[in-house]
Amino acid sequence: MILSDIYYLSVLRISAVLQAPAYPERAGVPQPETGGSLPEGLAEKVEQALGLVAWIGTAAGVVGVLATGAVMAISHKRGESSEHMSRLGMVLGGCILVAMAGPIVTWLFGSGGGGTN
């Protein structure tokens, strides 16, 4: 056999596989229904957990701003120069990210309580 014959036979085999039904031995496997509702009370628990995480993130942002400000004041008192503005920018960027996470998720996925938008 030459190389072109091997190529031709492999193309025929691939096309025969593509035309055959995929996984015929799995035809009797039951498929779960999609689009069902959440279990009772799960949406409220998830919203409560996300609210708690949002409050913790906000508190961490406030602590970060206070700590950066304290380090800036101490460094200024000592006469040292440092890259405090970049640290402050990173802390404020994190605060903005935490503050915008909830509205962005709500905009992408709708209101989480199972209601309509």
Side-chain angles (χ1 to χ4, degrees):
M1 291 185 113
I2 58 175
L3 190 59
S4 62
D5 290 338
I6 295 172
Y7 173 76
Y8 180 72
L9 288 174
S10 65
V11 168
L12 286 177
R13 287 182 184 161
I14 290 173
S15 65
V17 167
L18 291 177
Q19 292 174 359
Y23 306 109
E25 65 275 0
R26 295 173 128 184
V29 176
Q31 298 296 320
E33 294 180 17
T34 57
S37 62
L38 293 174
E40 189 68 32
L42 180 63
E44 291 82 19
K45 290 180 182 179
V46 170
E47 288 177 9
Q48 184 180 14
L50 290 177
L52 182 64
V53 170
W55 277 106
I56 291 171
T58 303
V62 170
V63 169
V65 170
L66 291 174
T68 302
V71 171
M72 286 173 72
I74 292 170
S75 294
H76 181 70
K77 177 91 171 161
R78 291 182 181 174
E80 299 173 354
S81 62
S82 187
E83 303 263 340
H84 297 297
M85 292 309 283
S86 65
R87 291 181 191 165
L88 184 61
M90 289 182 6
V91 169
L92 292 177
C95 291
I96 291 171
L97 183 64
V98 167
M100 291 302 295
I104 288 173
V105 169
T106 302
W107 176 69
L108 287 176
F109 298 109
S111 62
T116 57
N117 293 0

